Amino acid sequence: MADPVHWARYHWQRLISTENRAGSSSSNSSNKCYQSSKAIVKHRIVIPCLGHFKEEYEKVSKLYMNNRIRTTKYTWLNFLPRNLFEQFHRVANLYFLFLVVLNWVPLVEAFQKEITMLPLVGVLTIIAVKDGLEDYSKYKMDKQINNLLTKVYSRKEKKYVDECWKNVNVGDFIRLSRNEIIPADMVLLYSSDLDGICYIETAGLDGETNLKQRQVVRGYSEQVSEIDPEKFSSRIECESPNNDLSCFRGFVEHSNKDRVGLSKDNLLLRGCTVRNTEAVVGIVVYAGHETKAMLNNSGPHYKRSKLERKVNTDILWCVLLLILMCLTGAIGHGIWLSRYAEIPFFNIPEPDGKSIPPTLAGFNMFWTMIILLQVLIPISLYVSIEIVKLGQIYLIQNDIDFYHEKTDSTIQCRALNIAEDLGQIQYIFSDKTGTLTENKMVFRRCSIAGQEYCHEENAKRLESYQEMDSEDEDSADHQCDSSTPMSKWQGDNCRAVNEPLNRKSLNQLSGSYPALGGQGEPGEVPHSGHVAFSSPIETDVSPDTQLLGKFSQISSHFYQQSEEASSKVSLETMYITDFFLALAICNTVVVSVPNQPRQKMRHTSLGRMPIKSLEEIRQMFQRLSIRRLSSSPLPSVKESSSESPNSFVSKLSIFRMRLASPALDGAAQRAAEPHNTDSPENSQVPQEIDMTNVAAGCEHNSAASSVESSPLPKLCYEAESPDEAALVHAAKAYKCILRSRTPDQVTLDFAGLGSLTFQLLHILPFDSVRKRMSVVVRHPVSNRVVVYTKGADSVMMDLLRTASEDTNNSEMEQKKIKERTQKHLDDYARRGLRTLCIAKKVMSDEEYAEWLNHHFLAETSIDNREELLLESAIRLETNLTLLGATGIEDRLQEGVPDTIQALRKAGIKIWMLTGDKRETAVNIAYACKLLEPDDRIFILESQSRDACAMVMSKILEGIQKNTSDKKSPSQNPEDVSAGLSAQAPGFSAGLVIDGRTLEHVLHDSLQNIFLELTEKCRAVVCCRATPLQKSVLVRLVRNKLQAMTLAVGDGANDVSMIQVADAGVGISGQEGMQAVMASDFAVSQFRHLRKLLLVHGHWCYTRLNNMVLYYFYKNVAYVNLLFWYQFFCGFSGTSMTDYWILILFNLLFTSVPPIIYGVLDKDVSAEILMQLPQLYTLSQKSVAYLPSAFWITLLDAFYQSLICFFVPYFTYYGSDIDVFSFGNPINTAALFIMLFHLLIESKSVTWIHTAVTVGSILLYFIFTLAFGATCKTHNPPSNPYWIMEKHMADPVFYLVCLLTTCVALLPRYVLRVLQGSLFPPAVLRARHLDRLSPEARREAVKRWKDGSAVNCRVEFQATSGSSSSATGAVSQEESTARVSPTSKTPFQACPRDGLVAGTCSSPDIQEYRWLEL
């Protein structure tokens, strides 16, 4: 009985959590890591249900949920009331419920009570069955997951026993084996791995198949045997449950009050899979719906389409029309009764003999008319729209053009209700890396100590890869690179020949999370799919010849002579050494072996025999003793403050000094994440080297020679980002090979130095605020603490050592290196390369101890932990020594330039939002044709809000002054021949803005002028933009401009942008599935957007628009037949048609043809839509569903209803036929009119359309014949007996139906004929192209394009003639406002193959800066 209480508490906590998150949304952007997930201020205390904690556990455990999950909405008891409650949230259902209740009132009853209930009951039943089936499938899934088994420690049996997941509680100890799925969020307390590491696969959470490392809590990792829960005497205090997967704050408090900080590296999340570890033990901190995975599982997100909102508005107009018609009927009925008051036949008295006053009778008749004319509000429209959308989604998902063979994936439609919005997109916000580019990072150039190395051999290798067959590259995508050093030294033939893994489908994400497939066998190692960032084009790097020659100077002899080395050559060699050491270890790469998938690499001795020798056993115990010393708990703050810095640091690093000895090298290494190594800081650096370790280098060198002559196991580098993988592979090409990584140490093989083991002290991960990553290590040779940092040059250059007045030679040299490196960085950016700066810092033990004291306090805090860690990292990353820079190429995806060009011709404005530096972003924008060489580019950059406002106003004044007289005349929305010129009249401009300036323009006071400026520009490039700024920009354009927006991205940093946009598209790339899981549509390539929008978006919108208009026409026309009859029956609310036929006419006889029409109709073929993107503007501007189109449709419906009623009326005028005999030809003619009306409006008629139309007519006649033959008095006192049978034998009936149909449809048919002959719209002209022969079609399409280009050129020339004067005007005004345009080196638009400069003309770029005087 506790489950309802837990469920209520869970929803209450979620409610409070939502309110708190909303309240914190306006906080500073630096706090966004955790501000969105703050729930309740109170912390959570977790204690085990064992020992002396039993009483306290009983109190605390009642506050937390168990591990049972329930994703269903309903139970067997509440299904019916809750489902009905939810369905009656729809206004249409409430309206028809009101009519049903109203019809039960005798005074206003119009139909038989059961008949009125039929439509509503039918719709409610269909939706209830659908909801019930969906919920039942969730129930079965929940039951299967809840009953999975796991090992839970039992305090009664004193051992681990099998328990169902649903019985796991907070505070339980869980023991997991390899390949098991984690049942709840738990803190890792033990791992069978000697290094205290647990490897997990997070594909179940974010789709990433690369392994992630989790570490045992500091202080527990030294345990040789498994932790005993009975002896656990600590308590855990952590944050309240939240949905932030990237943050976890808390600490473990021991019985002696010592605290050890907890982070996300100590937390195993529910839904992940344990890999590479035989056994792990953890204590549960979050269970069930409080786990981070469940809090992120908010269910399918719902977005309302623009068309749906417009339909709701038009239904309100129909409601007003209905009220008007009912008022007319009520007034008419009152007048009728007043005129014939003395005739009892027309005014039947009540049983008491009194007559109803005409006024009251008119009031009652108003409600009777509401019931009679209820069909005017189309209840079946909502159901039909849902069916049509499902059909459209089915066609999109089965389009073979969206299939991508390399990834074995196709389009995913995750949102079923906004497909038509794809046809109205006005703005596209696109990420760059992985979205426009391949996200395959290739090492191209580097600069070390101010000297650039162009890697021409590598450029030649890339050219050869571009000429390779795609099938060869696809087969190599699954290969892991060889670790043999000699394979990288072959010049142009440097590509390693690797043994491929067993090939399986790339689409293995569901298989990597076998939550429903039972537990894996103990010896089974499932294949986890493709290792990201491991294609040959990324892994094979050809070394630079000049740089390779300098590597020959690196040897143990060099280190022996380094104390006296003060020459420039010696200093440069030291820089080269440290540069590549930093590339190899400053990352989080996991090392594994390919022949045993998901098995990490352990660095073992060569030639090891299966049976260990006594010496090996002795070394193993020696390693264990060292590990126990290395992983002992850190002293408390009080203790550390009382000791001297030297003694404090010595306690932390005794084992690190010992592990630098050769006796342990090659034997004590474990796989872990690579991190940075130390490099010389100045000319004094060689004096810092410990000469007592020179012998170690000699022995390493000899060991390295034996390595080269012996086969080594091949290595796979599993990186979390492609940049890290590219840098590690580049270091490997120069024989700086990452061998293994543990939480405590990193092992490398370096050419000439042998095996080096760096003790890893701290990792300061990358974040969007610092824009850099650092590692703190102890160098194995110098025994000094070294900080290695890599990051964006925009922040790294400010952190370098500044030269003082009495600068020495080394500091002057550093200044020169900085200047030369900055030039190289600018050149790399102009070439479209991604740039990174590499730097280092050497710390004394005293400095390190002082910093460590503050850092320890930050690690053990819960409140404001991120701010404290950020301050600690910033305090460490100062006075750096610049080592060099790297340039990494990320090639454009196939078809990106053509796609962007087509989308721009379609009238869509495209914004590129990227975190890269300005030069790189602009160059890529030119390469993908987002910016054209003829565009005038304005680079907006300012340091203050006032300056930003001044610059934007001056740019706007200059543009408006020179384009005010050149604007193109207003064009017909359907005239798309000049679609290009309509997009950007006058100035052809582009805007480039950086992240710092974005902070100013997003302020409320500058938003309007910023949007006005962007509307004048054909493209906008935002560089150095944070994820938060991306989402704010999308929301700003969507809300302020009331524009339809689409956001496309491939990474976790694009999720917020995708969710804010009207339509979100995720690219299923190499950086996991976060963007895909948050998106509405998922594609594998950016080029698929072209067909998705221009073809399917256009089709979905026009089909649904036309179907909705047809429904309004159909219902209004049919209801008017009843309305016209009221003028001849005294407005009595009676019908000339039987009520069953009246109700089923719209519900059954005329419902299927418009659904088929909405799913299959094609106004233009896909080929023509792809070739003529200008046609997209028709759907973009809602040409098919303008307000005028709605009212014209209603007028046509009134006209057709008049014809349909009065032609039979005058035909049978004066005859003695009964009411139903009069209504039957009207009803039959209405059926023919509505079906043939649909055929006239259909743009393509297939056999399916014909079959459905004929089937509807046959169904009508079969039903009416059967109904008339069997039901004599079905609805007393009416009698439809044998009505249709009599008319079928009467020739006048056929003549009436034929004449009525022709006269009613004649105006519409004539209008369509004249429109197609005299002034054909663009769609009709485009559809005509499909009837031409292929050659004639190509010529016609070419003439169409040439006509558009001529119109565009004429207007551009008319406006560009004054471009120079415009520039002068702008410059003159700038001078008065202290805004100066500075000429910049023209950027070159780079092609896909290598982004090589010099292939495009130079664009005109103006940079506007505020001069601070």
Side-chain angles (χ1 to χ4, degrees), residues 942 944-951 1000 1006 1410:
S942 62
S944 66
R945 190 181 307 161
D946 295 336
C948 186
M950 179 69 70
V951 171
H1000 305 314
L1006 299 184
W1410 178 260

Side-chain angles (χ1 to χ4, degrees), residues 1041-1267:
L1041 299 181
Q1042 297 297 310
M1044 293 295 293
T1045 58
L1046 180 145
V1048 54
D1050 73 316
N1053 59 335
D1054 304 315
V1055 168
S1056 58
M1057 172 179 69
I1058 288 173
Q1059 292 177 334
V1060 167
D1062 292 288
V1065 177
I1067 304 291
S1068 53
Q1070 302 195 76
E1071 292 195 15
M1073 302 293 287
Q1074 298 98 318
V1076 169
M1077 291 187 291
S1079 65
D1080 304 306
F1081 303 90
V1083 296
S1084 55
Q1085 295 282 290
F1086 183 84
R1087 58 186 170 89
H1088 292 158
L1089 276 183
R1090 182 177 184 179
K1091 187 171 188 181
L1092 181 63
L1093 298 184
L1094 302 185
V1095 178
H1096 288 285
H1098 174 85
W1099 280 349
C1100 289
Y1101 182 75
T1102 54
R1103 289 166 175 172
L1104 208 55
N1105 268 350
N1106 294 333
M1107 191 203 75
V1108 168
L1109 287 174
Y1110 176 78
Y1111 257 95
F1112 284 122
Y1113 147 79
K1114 179 170 67 76
N1115 286 32
V1116 171
Y1118 194 69
V1119 164
N1120 277 335
L1121 297 177
L1122 302 175
F1123 181 69
W1124 304 136
Y1125 180 68
Q1126 300 308 307
F1127 288 91
F1128 300 93
C1129 68
F1131 298 95
S1132 59
T1134 58
S1135 171
M1136 71 287 188
T1137 306
D1138 185 81
Y1139 296 150
W1140 278 99
I1141 297 178
L1142 181 66
I1143 293 296
L1144 295 178
F1145 189 88
N1146 277 303
L1147 201 62
L1148 188 61
F1149 303 139
T1150 59
S1151 59
V1152 178
I1155 291 176
I1156 299 299
Y1157 171 68
V1159 174
L1160 298 179
D1161 193 49
K1162 291 183 181 179
D1163 55 351
V1164 187
S1165 67
E1167 181 183 1
I1168 298 299
L1169 287 174
M1170 292 284 282
Q1171 294 177 355
L1172 299 175
Q1174 295 88 343
L1175 295 174
Y1176 184 80
T1177 57
L1178 300 179
S1179 61
Q1180 187 185 56
K1181 298 176 181 178
S1182 303
V1183 172
Y1185 198 177
L1186 295 172
S1188 58
F1190 173 75
W1191 292 110
I1192 290 174
T1193 299
L1194 294 192
L1195 290 176
D1196 191 27
F1198 270 89
Y1199 163 77
Q1200 292 187 17
S1201 66
L1202 284 171
I1203 298 298
C1204 188
F1205 180 83
F1206 283 102
V1207 168
Y1209 172 77
F1210 287 111
T1211 301
Y1212 293 104
Y1213 183 77
S1215 66
D1216 58 351
I1217 64 171
D1218 60 281
V1219 174
F1220 284 171
S1221 297
F1222 170 67
N1224 188 58
I1226 295 177
N1227 216 53
T1228 306
L1231 178 71
F1232 284 109
I1233 291 172
M1234 293 176 184
L1235 293 180
F1236 290 145
H1237 175 102
L1238 185 62
L1239 290 178
I1240 292 176
E1241 292 302 309
S1242 295
K1243 309 304 186 299
S1244 60
V1245 179
T1246 64
W1247 66 268
I1248 300 179
H1249 292 79
T1250 305
V1252 169
T1253 303
V1254 174
S1256 297
I1257 296 174
L1258 292 177
L1259 178 62
Y1260 171 76
F1261 279 98
I1262 291 173
F1263 179 84
T1264 52
L1265 288 171
F1267 183 74

Side-chain angles (χ1 to χ4, degrees), residues 726-738:
L727 296 180
V728 172
H729 289 300
K732 181 181 175 185
Y734 288 91
K735 285 191 176 181
C736 182
I737 304 172
L738 174 65

Side-chain angles (χ1 to χ4, degrees), residues 76 95 424 440 519 674 730 886 908 1052 1087 1133 1202 1273 1323 1329 1396:
W76 295 107
Y95 165 74
Q424 293 188 282
K440 290 185 176 180
Q519 306 297 332
T886 60
I908 301 175
R1087 58 186 170 89
L1202 284 171
T1273 55
V1323 171
L1329 299 179
V1396 181

